[in-house]
Amino acid sequence: MWLRFVFTGCLLLLGSVLSSADGYKILFLVPFPGPSHWLMLKHFIRELTERQHQVTCITAFPFGEKLQNYDEILIDPPYPIRETFPVEGLFASSQKSDFVKLFMYWDLGFNTSRHGLESENVRQFIRRTDLEFDLIIAEQFFQESWLMFAHIYNAPIVTISTYGYSDFFDRIMGLQTPWSFVPHMVLSYEDDMNIFQRAYNVILSSFDSVYRRYKYLPQADQLAREVFGELAKEPDSLPSITELEQSISVILVNSHPILSIARPSIRGLVDIGGAHIRAPKPLPDDLRQFMDEARHGVIYFSLGAYMQSAVMPVEKRTAILRVFGTLEQRVVWKFEDEGLLRNDVPPNVLISKWAPQNDILAHPNTILFISHGGQFGTFEAMHHGVPVLFMPFFGDQHRNADRAIKQGFAQKMSFEALNEQNFKDNVRHLVENERYFVRAKEISKLFTDRLVKPMDEAIFWIEYTARHKGAAHLKSKSIRFNWFQYNSFDLVLILAALVLAMYLAVTKNESAVRRSSKNTRRAKPKRS
């Protein structure tokens, strides 16, 4: 009997080894210290390791559990994002200027990139000469200098955009974004912009493109050469960031047609919105009982992983709790500090430092989600068919809220202007109008009606790129064209020059003929 167990164990071990041998060695780059970004990208790491790929990840976050086929290089200490971008300031004043948003992305991207590359653990990793990788996966979030890892290891690149589309994704793949009907990523416009919106879109998009090309990318170039130059025999031979971007094989974009504008695309741009969403798991017993027994439904309130409720102003928190206490619905509030005294909390409100958001939204009694408007939570609400009350603060949150409102399953309010009366009015409006709930269920059907599950599609393209050692054929050769060539203005100039030359030649010939005729008449002899 024991021989049978030993034999079976050997077979399982051999199968594991053989399976692992078929996997790829993947370097996964997550230098941005955004907790919500990491929560999404963890799903890709788990999926890849379960498929027997060997993943090495550079990140500011420990995975939190032991995984087979997984190694991590920690950026330690992590970038102090909460000190440089304090939540208290966001509660006090919502970020609204579109140009401020752009500079926030550029500054955060460059500063977090430099911090990560200068981390001692990362520098030691860079100096190692015993490593080989079949593929580089990098988060596509303004950490372009990190693409130099692909050059160091001579490996193809797949990137994952956690926030949706940017115009420069198109340029990386050989497209030019048509600004006449595709609004900039920070704008909430539709694809039928009026003339004033189109004018503003062109101004903002042009500024973004010019600043990125002539200011931002040269900074990233300089940073990459400082960090990786010591590994190159000739530092000047290192490729530029523009060249590295153009070598990206596939960009997996956290986007879905329901919440994004229709835009031209190409094979290398793949929508994977909702890839992080998993089948719901059973809730903890106390939370399950609280929600199961909610005869009038449950409202879930969370401001995400970065905008923590625990640091909101006391007067806002008090107003919110008073409103919750007047409702017949039960409320689950993700509140990160246990210091909220029990006698301050109405009996219909459950306070939890941590909440399984996807599982809560999947519960049949959940009738409203009060959210800051992050991309991940918005997709989860759409997936499970739950109406949303948005309180956006920064980044893409205003855009997500505005587009959800246009789709008919949400409303939004300003946190700055929040008081007891307007908060109550907004909550009751969404709870008592069944049309929001009905529309949310319709959105759920549209969101989940797909040919392939988004995570399966993402993994296919990741493995496809590794399998073929790159996928340059997925993009257009027009990546080498400038804007003038792309729109064939060079041909227009050539044709105009030819027409002008022909016109001048004909004019010159006519002038010559007229002069000859005139001279002939003058030379004609007079009659005697």
Side-chain angles (χ1 to χ4, degrees):
M1 179 66 72
W2 67 272
L3 287 174
R4 182 183 302 172
F5 283 116
V6 171
F7 181 70
T8 303
C10 290
L11 285 178
L12 291 174
L13 180 62
L14 179 61
S16 174
V17 170
L18 291 176
S19 178
S20 178
D22 292 333
Y24 297 109
K25 293 180 180 179
I26 298 173
L27 178 60
F28 208 119
L29 306 175
V30 191
F32 184 67
S36 59
H37 294 229
W38 172 243
L39 290 175
M40 176 189 179
L41 296 171
K42 282 179 68 174
H43 291 289
F44 288 87
I45 293 172
R46 184 186 299 278
E47 193 75 24
L48 288 167
T49 56
E50 288 179 352
R51 297 181 186 226
Q52 303 307 313
H53 300 299
Q54 181 66 43
V55 178
T56 299
C57 183
I58 304 178
T59 174
F61 301 94
F63 198 88
E65 58 184 281
K66 187 171 178 57
L67 288 182
Q68 287 188 335
N69 308 319
Y70 179 68
D71 295 310
E72 61 189 9
I73 312 299
L74 288 179
I75 299 172
D76 187 25
Y79 180 80
I81 189 169
R82 295 192 184 278
E83 286 75 18
T84 57
F85 198 51
V87 174
E88 292 83 354
L90 295 173
F91 277 124
S93 178
S94 179
Q95 179 201 76
K96 294 178 181 177
S97 167
D98 298 320
F99 291 91
V100 168
K101 293 175 186 176
L102 286 178
F103 280 102
M104 179 200 73
Y105 286 129
W106 290 324
D107 290 344
L108 267 180
F110 183 78
N111 292 334
T112 54
S113 293
R114 176 180 288 281
H115 179 87
L117 290 173
E118 291 178 349
S119 167
E120 184 57 32
N121 290 342
V122 177
R123 292 182 69 83
Q124 290 179 10
F125 179 83
I126 291 173
R127 295 190 190 104
R128 291 181 60 177
T129 59
D130 60 328
L131 298 173
E132 293 182 355
F133 293 101
D134 302 304
L135 179 70
I136 307 296
I137 302 178
E139 181 183 6
Q140 184 83 51
F141 192 76
F142 302 91
Q143 278 86 37
E144 290 81 0
S145 54
W146 286 63
L147 296 176
M148 194 63 74
F149 277 102
H151 173 73
I152 298 302
Y153 294 113
N154 191 29
I157 319 170
V158 171
T159 62
I160 302 174
S161 168
T162 48
Y163 66 93
Y165 279 98
S166 284
D167 291 356
F168 65 87
F169 294 3
D170 296 340
R171 295 192 288 274
I172 287 172
M173 289 294 158
L175 293 174
Q176 293 287 338
T177 309
W179 294 334
S180 58
F181 67 92
V182 177
H184 189 275
M185 69 168 183
V186 302
L187 299 178
S188 302
Y189 298 161
E190 296 292 316
D191 51 359
D192 56 349
M193 294 176 281
N194 61 40
I195 190 168
F196 300 105
Q197 290 174 330
R198 280 193 287 125
Y200 182 67
N201 185 51
V202 169
I203 292 170
L204 182 65
S205 300
S206 299
F207 174 79
D208 185 357
S209 178
V210 171
Y211 188 93
R212 176 182 174 79
R213 179 175 180 179
Y214 295 104
K215 181 67 174 179
Y216 174 73
L217 288 183
Q219 286 182 327
D221 261 325
Q222 181 62 31
L223 174 59
R225 293 178 190 281
E226 289 175 8
V227 174
F228 294 94
E230 62 184 59
L231 300 180
K233 295 179 180 179
E234 299 179 8
D236 292 339
S237 67
L238 291 174
S240 68
I241 297 300
T242 298
E243 292 171 320
L244 288 168
E245 282 193 326
Q246 291 177 348
S247 71
I248 294 173
S249 294
V250 176
I251 303 177
L252 305 173
V253 187
N254 189 30
S255 180
H256 188 282
I258 295 297
L259 206 67
S260 63
I261 298 302
R263 60 190 297 148
S265 190
I266 203 166
R267 292 185 185 91
L269 293 170
V270 183
D271 285 348
I272 58 161
H276 69 290
I277 300 173
R278 293 291 180 268
K281 298 177 181 178
L283 295 168
D285 290 341
D286 57 340
L287 180 57
R288 178 190 55 77
Q289 183 177 357
F290 182 81
M291 296 187 67
D292 286 348
E293 296 174 355
R295 293 187 297 115
H296 300 286
V298 174
I299 297 171
Y300 175 56
F301 182 21
S302 171
L303 295 181
Y306 190 80
M307 291 297 300
Q308 297 185 355
S309 298
V311 296
M312 73 167 56
V314 174
E315 64 274 13
K316 303 287 188 183
R317 183 187 72 192
T318 302
I320 291 169
L321 282 172
R322 284 176 179 169
V323 171
F324 286 161
T326 67
L327 302 176
E328 58 184 359
Q329 289 80 24
R330 291 187 173 184
V331 179
V332 177
W333 187 354
K334 187 180 84 69
F335 196 93
E336 301 79 11
D337 186 358
E338 293 178 344
L340 193 63
L341 298 178
R342 183 64 231 176
N343 56 10
D344 288 339
V345 180
N348 65 323
V349 178
L350 176 66
I351 299 294
S352 178
K353 288 185 65 176
W354 172 83
Q357 180 167 287
N358 182 62
D359 305 329
I360 291 173
L361 293 174
H363 194 284
N365 286 347
T366 303
I367 61 171
L368 179 64
F369 178 26
I370 303 176
S371 167
H372 63 304
Q375 189 93 306
F376 311 115
T378 302
F379 281 158
E380 289 167 3
M382 294 167 66
H383 181 93
H384 297 297
V386 179
V388 186
L389 173 59
F390 289 98
M391 288 192 288
F393 293 91
F394 66 96
D396 61 351
Q397 296 166 12
H398 291 278
R399 180 201 68 190
N400 295 338
D402 291 339
R403 290 183 178 168
I405 291 168
K406 289 170 184 173
Q407 288 295 338
F409 68 96
Q411 287 295 327
K412 76 171 181 177
M413 66 176 297
S414 166
F415 183 84
E416 297 172 76
L418 184 148
N419 57 46
E420 190 172 339
Q421 187 58 51
N422 62 21
F423 184 62
K424 180 191 292 185
D425 292 343
N426 276 282
V427 171
R428 288 193 178 278
H429 177 73
L430 282 159
V431 168
E432 294 172 2
N433 284 270
E434 189 179 1
R435 63 186 176 91
Y436 291 105
F437 191 79
V438 172
R439 180 56 179 162
K441 295 304 178 186
E442 293 173 351
I443 292 294
S444 176
K445 292 179 181 178
L446 291 171
F447 189 84
T448 56
D449 189 1
R450 307 188 190 195
L451 181 64
V452 181
K453 291 181 179 180
M455 180 56 81
D456 290 339
E457 183 167 14
I459 297 299
F460 168 80
W461 287 112
I462 288 171
E463 294 178 335
Y464 179 94
T465 303
R467 189 162 54 245
H468 297 288
K469 303 185 187 311
H473 55 283
L474 297 180
K475 63 176 62 182
S476 170
K477 298 299 188 295
S478 63
I479 55 174
R480 301 184 182 90
F481 289 3
N482 58 39
W483 179 81
F484 208 72
Q485 294 170 307
Y486 187 92
N487 292 282
S488 297
F489 289 151
D490 52 345
L491 295 180
V492 172
L493 282 180
I494 292 172
L495 289 173
L498 288 174
V499 170
L500 179 61
M502 292 174 63
Y503 172 77
L504 293 174
V506 170
T507 302
K508 184 177 181 181
N509 185 56
E510 289 180 346
S511 298
V513 170
R514 283 196 297 268
R515 285 196 301 270
S516 175
S517 176
K518 189 174 181 180
N519 292 335
T520 301
R521 287 196 300 271
R522 286 177 179 175
K524 192 173 182 180
K526 296 181 179 180
R527 295 179 181 178
S528 57

